[in-house]
């Protein structure tokens, strides 16, 4: 999300901090070369920063729209 003003920006920062500090989050290790597909209507998800590895090529794929 892109905040329209400082008030929205501060709200989003507090929300992000709250989620990061939550004791209810689940951290899952994913094996190399694996893929997870998550439905954004049911799951709130994120990821830690990638550790640089010159031998790997990585892409973040985002699909937006309606699918039937």
């Amino acid at each position: 999300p892109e905040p329209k003003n400082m008030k929205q920006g501060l709200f989003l920062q507090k929300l992000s901090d709250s989620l990061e500090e939550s004791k209810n989050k689940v951290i899952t290790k994913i094996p190399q070369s694996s893929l997870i597909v998550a439905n954004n209507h049911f799951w709130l998800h994120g990821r830690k920063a990638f550790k640089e590895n010159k031998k790997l090529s990585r892409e973040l794929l985002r699909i937006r729209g309606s699918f039937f």
Side-chain angles (χ1 to χ4, degrees), residues 19-66:
L19 292 170
E20 287 291 324
E21 295 167 7
S22 173
K23 293 180 176 130
N24 295 314
K25 65 184 172 188
V26 176
I27 298 174
T28 304
K29 291 192 178 205
I30 303 169
Q32 185 175 331
S33 300
S34 295
L35 168 75
I36 288 183
V37 177
N39 182 330
N40 288 337
H41 291 282
F42 298 102
W43 295 97
L44 180 62
H45 59 88
R47 66 168 178 81
K48 291 185 176 182
F50 289 128
K51 292 182 183 174
E52 186 176 4
N53 184 335
K54 301 275 186 191
K55 297 178 184 177
L56 294 177
S57 174
R58 297 178 184 212
E59 297 226 6
L60 177 59
L61 175 63
R62 294 179 187 217
I63 301 173
R64 292 177 166 78
S66 297

